[in-house]
């Protein structure tokens, strides 16, 4: 059944009460959630969340949601796609069918047909417990295997790289040892040769001495010879030195630590090692080719193998702490070369086994998660709706017998019959012993919420308005006008036929492919653009229209409606060539008619183009601004008439119209009059200034030669001086009318109310007895309805049922008056941003076209043309269509929020937030 909604004013609301049997409460809330047209009131505000009746059920749902998010996290890590649809139970999943047809299902989507059984919430809880334990165990085992695999890979790399260090050092040591051995042999050979030569010479000298009779003995020769050997033979010194060096090496033996570290931390690691040990370490590094998986986190990073040589236990402790601080992994490394090879072989064998085990574990885990993924969307929907159901039931009050629940909520008047029908169906399906009572109750003293039913087209504009504030109940909705004015003001600043066509094509693509795009993951920025696709579509269409008005396509003038209205002077002899008269006397018009549509393209490229367009767009901005602000003031009239607030009509609306219309409405009239008057050269700046400096003296009488008129061209119509005097008088009178009468009348009303009135019998709906009139008839006679004053503009300070403070009311009215008077001037000036941004957009487009594309084309080089086109395209898409469109959007937003809506829109209403299951489908955004 279709419900007729009025977008101009919010839907009329009723406060309803439901007395629900306890056994039917759950099904009733589910059914109402499927309808989505009841916003329940919290009748247990004085209780904390833990004291409410169904707090345990909410905790239970939170725990199930935690487990579902746990599954989602592991699926994202495993790269498993979650099906954004409801599982049908036939694909090996754990869940059953889900039917979105509300008329054949209950609030969970469980079919009433017993042939298709669907998993219940209790069964789901048990299933989630089992699956979460299984997935946790599988994930823990997989993580343990992955970590072991990563450590073995790093250990193998350490064995290879560090083994290279030690092999190189061993080769160098062997080479040095061979050199020392050869040198020692050479020294021994030289010593032996020296000994033999010395012995032979000594023997000859002894023979000679004995032959000469000098005396001698063999013992002396032997003693001398031994003494020489002791002094000159090097063998004993070498052995002694070797023994002493061996003792030193044994007492100061070097230790070493090996491991891996992130390559980006190597330099800091090296500096800290040097400073901590005062340079008493030796560090060797070797980069690992390619990425290496970090065992602790599983991330792929670049790593480096390190070997730190040190001396002493104290240095070792410092190095270990530094390695821990840099998250550097340490691995054992044997000194024995044979043991190194054996350890490397064992590591390779274990890696093969571990890799196969890890792959099998990952496959098993992924199979389990894939089964869960088929029904995860359904499970999220089921649990989220269950949680919302119990949240709503926590708002109900329970009678003393605990046999029924009492609920109150707001629902649209037009949907009351539908809600009543849904309550009856839910009660019948729950097989309750008694029926549910559904009735309207009085909402006197309570502010109903604001509810608009929107479509895909109007929803984005409603969100733009509600970003400023929610409308009051039954207040005029700015969205109706915003649907047209917002994209139009955007187009005024962004108007270009070419840019509009590109944006229009992009918007049409998003609209036509909205189903496919919505099913894919989107970034935050593109998601906002996609949700505003209908607004972008309308903005692009208006941009194409204003581009035709401006006669610009990528800053190039279009000649759709002819070349120009103006031609060269026929008497100019150069009319067929250079037309020199266009720089002196100017071009002449073909006839008295205007250019068929938009701006005449002949202005483009001339010296007078900028002054002409500045004057045109500035005046156009003033006309648009004054018109929109005047519409806003008349919107406030509709609110005042609806509330019966005649006091605000007389003391606010009328003086506001007089003030704004007298100043800027008169300026707008002069702008239009100047446009339609041939040959008019009046200076509107001068006219408005002299309107205040010399009231009534329009043509500057007495300032010309001989006391004549100094500016006769400023007199645009007869009686202009008298009209300006009348306008000035009206503007000066409007200010005190806005300021003083309303507070004084409100004070009088309050005094009359306190004095009391007559007594009348109450209506039968209000009970028996008498009530005292609060002088409502007298108040109406004064120009307003006291019962509606709280909803009028600016009347909710100091009157109504609360304490009246005349000073507060007067100050508030003074602020309101000053804000309007100053705002009338500043807001009108604010609309000049339409002119400024339109001019900036056109000039930027012209610069990119001339300096990037046309300069490249004029060069004649193919390469320059390609490069120039690329630069122009990038600038057009990035700057003009990206940054400029965003700038125009924000300025149009400000014009609506500040300049337009502040004339009538309060924005302090309460948004209607019903229990609605359609928004609780699938995963929440934080889980996805």
């Amino acid at each position: 059944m279709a419900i007729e909604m009025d977008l101009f004013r919010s839907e009329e609301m009723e406060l309803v009460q439901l007395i629900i049997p306890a056994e039917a409460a759950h099904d009733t809330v589910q059914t109402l959630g499927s309808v989505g047209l009841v916003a329940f009131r919290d009748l247990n505000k004085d209780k904390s969340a833990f004291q409410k009746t169904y707090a345990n059920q909410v905790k239970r749902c939170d725990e199930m949601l935690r487990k579902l998010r746990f599954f989602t996290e592991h699926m994202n890590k495993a790269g498993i796609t979650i099906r954004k649809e409801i599982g049908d139970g036939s694909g090996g999943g754990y869940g059953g069918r889900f039917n979105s047809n509300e008329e054949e299902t209950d609030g969970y989507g469980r079919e009433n047909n017993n042939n298709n059984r669907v998993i219940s919430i209790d069964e789901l809880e048990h299933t989630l417990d089992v699956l979460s334990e299984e997935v946790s165990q599988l994930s823990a085992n997989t993580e343990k295997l992955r970590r072991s695999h990563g450590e073995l890979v790093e250990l193998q790399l350490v064995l290879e790289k560090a083994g290279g260090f030690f092999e190189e050092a061993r080769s160098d040591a062997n080479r040095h040892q061979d050199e020392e051995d050869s040198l020692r042999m050479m020294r021994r050979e030289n010593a032996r040769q020296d000994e033999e030569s010395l012995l032979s010479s000594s023997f000859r000298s002894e023979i000679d001495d004995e032959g000469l009779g000098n005396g001698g003995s063999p013992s002396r020769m032997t003693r001398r010879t031994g003494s020489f050997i002791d002094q000159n033979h090097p063998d004993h010194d070498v052995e002694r030195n070797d023994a002493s060096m061996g003792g030193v090496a044994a007492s100061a033996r070097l230790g070493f630590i090996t491991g891996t570290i992130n390559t980006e931390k190597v330099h800091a690691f090296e500096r800290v090692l040097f400073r901590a040990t005062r340079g008493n370490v030796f560090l060797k590094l070797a980069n690992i080719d390619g990425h290496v998986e970090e065992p602790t986190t599983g991330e792929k990073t670049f790593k480096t193998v390190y070997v730190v040589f040190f001396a002493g236990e104290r240095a070792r402790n410092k190095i270990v702490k530094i390695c821990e601080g840099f998250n550097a992994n340490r691995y054992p490394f044997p000194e024995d070369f044979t043991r190194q090879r054996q350890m490397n072989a064992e590591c390779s064998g274990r890696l093969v086994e571990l890799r196969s085990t890890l792959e099998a574990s990952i496959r098993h885990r992924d199979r389990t998660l894939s089964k869960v993924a088929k029904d995860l969307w359904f499970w999220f929907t089921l649990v989220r709706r269950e949680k919302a159901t119990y949240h709503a039931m926590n708002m109900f009050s329970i009678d003393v017998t605990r046999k029924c629940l009492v609920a109150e909520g707001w629902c649209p008047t037009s949907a009351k019959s539908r809600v009543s029908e849904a309550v009856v169906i839910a009660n019948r399906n729950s097989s309750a012993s008694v029926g549910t009572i559904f009735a309207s109750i009085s909402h006197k003293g309570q502010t109903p919420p604001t509810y608009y039913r929107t479509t895909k087209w109007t929803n984005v504009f409603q969100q733009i308005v509600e970003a400023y504030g929610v409308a009051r109940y039954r207040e005029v909705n700015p969205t109706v006008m915003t649907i047209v004015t917002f994209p139009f003001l955007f187009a005024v600043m962004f108007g270009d036929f070419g840019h509009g066509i590109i944006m229009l094509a992009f918007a049409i693509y998003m609209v036509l492919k909205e189903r496919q795009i919505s099913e894919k993951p989107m970034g935050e920025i593109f998601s906002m653009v996609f949700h505003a696709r209908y607004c972008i579509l309308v903005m692009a269409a208006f941009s194409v229209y204003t581009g035709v008005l401006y006669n610009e396509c990528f800053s190039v003038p279009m000649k759709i409606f002819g070349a120009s209205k103006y031609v060269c002077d026929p008497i100019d002899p150069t009319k067929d060539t250079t037309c020199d008269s266009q720089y002196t006397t100017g071009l002449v018009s073909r006839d008295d008619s205007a250019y068929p549509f938009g701006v005449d393209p002949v202005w483009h490229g001339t010296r007078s183009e900028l002054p002409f367009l500045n004057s045109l767009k500035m005046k156009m901005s003033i006309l648009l601004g004054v018109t929109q602000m005047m519409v806003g003031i008349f919107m406030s009239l509709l609110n005042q008439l609806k509330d019966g607030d005649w006091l605000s009509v007389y003391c606010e609306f009328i003086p506001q119209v007089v003030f704004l219309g007298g100043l800027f409405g008169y300026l707008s009239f002069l702008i239009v009059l100047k446009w339609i008057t041939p040959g008019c050269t009046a200076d509107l700046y001068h006219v408005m200034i002299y309107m205040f400096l010399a009231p009534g003296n329009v043509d500057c009488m007495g300032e010309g030669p001989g006391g004549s008129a100094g500016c006769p061209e400023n007199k645009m119509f007869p009686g202009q001086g008298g009209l300006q005097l009348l306008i000035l008088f009206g503007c000066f009178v409007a200010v005190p009318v806005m300021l003083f009468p309303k507070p004084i009348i409100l004070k009088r009303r309050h005094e009359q109310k306190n004095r009391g009135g007559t007594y009348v019998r109450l209506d039968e709906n209000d009970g028996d007895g008498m009530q005292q009139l609060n002088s409502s008839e007298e108040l109406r006679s004064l120009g307003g309805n006291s019962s509606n004053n709280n909803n009028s503009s600016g009347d909710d300070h100091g009157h109504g049922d609360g304490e009246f403070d005349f000073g507060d009311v007067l100050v508030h009215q003074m602020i309101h008056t000053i804000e309007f008077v100053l705002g009338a001037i500043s807001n009108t000036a604010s609309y000049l941003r339409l002119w400024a941004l339109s001019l900036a957009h056109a000039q930027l487009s012209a610069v990119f076209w001339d300096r990037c594309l046309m300069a490249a084309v004029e060069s004649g080089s193919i390469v320059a043309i390609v490069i120039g086109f690329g630069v122009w395209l990038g600038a057009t898409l990035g700057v003009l269509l990206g940054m400029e469109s965003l700038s125009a959007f924000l300025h149009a937003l400000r014009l609506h929020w500040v300049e337009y809506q502040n004339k009538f829109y309060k924005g302090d209403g309460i948004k209607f937030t019903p229990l609605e299951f359609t928004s609780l489908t699938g995963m929440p955004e934080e889980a996805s």
Side-chain angles (χ1 to χ4, degrees), residues 406-587:
V406 179
E408 292 183 5
W410 297 96
C411 78
T413 303
S414 58
K416 185 178 177 182
S417 59
R418 183 178 175 185
V419 173
S420 177
E421 181 182 354
V423 169
V424 173
I425 294 175
N427 185 271
R428 184 173 61 249
N429 292 338
S430 63
S431 302
S433 57
V434 295
T436 301
I437 300 176
F438 176 79
S440 299
I441 59 176
S442 173
H443 57 83
K444 185 177 181 180
Q446 301 182 33
T447 304
T450 302
Y451 174 54
Y452 300 102
R453 185 175 182 180
T454 57
T455 63
K456 291 190 295 184
W457 282 86
T458 59
N459 182 58
V460 60
F461 295 100
Q462 187 66 43
Q463 290 181 355
I464 289 174
V465 171
E466 291 185 352
Y468 177 83
V470 180
R472 290 180 175 180
Y473 177 64
R474 301 292 290 168
E475 184 182 15
V476 171
N477 187 12
T479 305
V480 177
M481 299 296 296
T482 301
I483 293 174
V484 177
T485 58
F486 185 86
F488 180 72
L489 293 184
F490 170 87
V492 170
M493 296 178 278
F494 191 74
D496 187 283
F497 182 80
H499 300 155
I501 287 293
I502 296 177
M503 183 180 291
L504 183 63
F506 177 65
I508 292 175
Y509 171 78
M510 289 193 295
V511 170
L512 295 179
K513 299 290 185 179
E514 61 181 9
R515 183 178 180 85
Q516 294 88 330
I517 296 175
S518 61
E519 294 176 352
K520 298 178 181 179
M522 294 179 287
E524 183 179 359
I525 296 178
F526 183 75
S527 177
M528 292 188 294
V529 173
F530 176 73
H531 287 102
R533 59 192 179 278
Y534 291 103
C535 180
I536 296 175
L537 179 65
V538 183
M539 291 191 303
F542 274 105
S543 297
V544 173
Y545 169 73
T546 53
V548 175
L549 279 179
Y550 297 157
N551 240 327
E552 289 184 353
C553 178
F554 300 115
S555 76
V556 178
M558 300 183 297
K559 300 181 180 180
I560 302 176
F561 305 99
S564 174
K565 169 193 172 182
Y566 298 95
V567 294
C568 189
D569 194 342
I571 63 175
D572 186 356
T574 61
K575 63 180 179 179
D576 297 328
T577 56
T578 58
C579 187
D580 296 337
S581 61
Q582 65 177 326
Y583 303 112
T584 55
T585 59
L587 301 175

Side-chain angles (χ1 to χ4, degrees), residues 22 28 74 104 171 218 222 312 331 363 398 434 469 521 598 606 650 768 787 808:
T28 301
H74 282 277
E104 297 180 0
S171 299
T222 305
Y331 295 99
R363 284 196 301 269
I398 302 177
V434 295
T606 62
Y650 296 140
D768 297 330
S787 63
D808 288 347

Side-chain angles (χ1 to χ4, degrees), residues 609-620:
E609 177 190 13
L610 197 58
F612 170 74
L613 292 180
N614 277 343
S615 175
L616 173 67
K617 293 183 178 181
M618 181 178 61
K619 294 173 181 176
M620 178 185 65

Side-chain angles (χ1 to χ4, degrees), residues 226-364:
S227 177
F228 177 82
I229 292 173
D230 290 340
Q231 293 177 4
N232 297 284
H233 200 285
D235 289 347
H236 300 288
D237 293 336
V238 172
E239 292 174 359
R240 185 168 52 251
N241 291 338
D242 289 344
S244 62
M245 290 301 293
V248 174
S251 63
R253 184 179 181 84
L254 291 178
F256 61 89
I257 295 176
T258 60
T260 59
I261 187 173
N262 288 342
T263 304
E264 59 185 12
K265 299 180 180 180
V266 166
H267 297 294
F269 180 67
E270 189 173 359
R271 287 196 300 269
V272 172
L273 279 177
F274 181 83
R275 293 173 182 174
T277 62
R278 298 184 179 180
N280 294 319
V281 294
F282 179 68
L283 178 65
K284 290 287 290 183
L285 300 170
N287 292 330
I288 300 174
D289 297 333
H291 291 85
V292 178
E293 183 177 310
E294 174 63 37
T296 55
T297 62
E299 297 179 355
K300 299 286 187 178
T301 57
F302 289 102
K303 287 207 164 186
T304 299
V305 173
Y306 66 88
V307 181
V308 183
F309 296 92
F310 59 89
E313 188 65 23
R314 186 176 179 183
R316 181 184 182 280
N317 294 334
K318 288 183 179 180
I319 295 170
V320 169
K321 291 181 180 179
I322 293 171
C323 292
E324 292 175 353
F326 280 88
N327 293 324
N329 300 325
R330 292 177 288 117
Y331 295 99
F333 186 83
E335 297 183 29
D336 184 52
F337 180 69
T338 304
R339 178 57 184 155
Q340 292 177 18
R341 290 191 173 184
Q342 182 182 358
M343 192 172 180
N344 197 353
E346 292 176 358
C347 185
S348 300
R350 289 187 59 191
L351 272 176
V352 174
E353 297 176 0
L354 193 59
R355 189 175 293 111
S356 60
T357 306
L358 179 60
E359 291 175 356
S361 177
I362 291 175
R363 284 196 301 269
H364 182 41

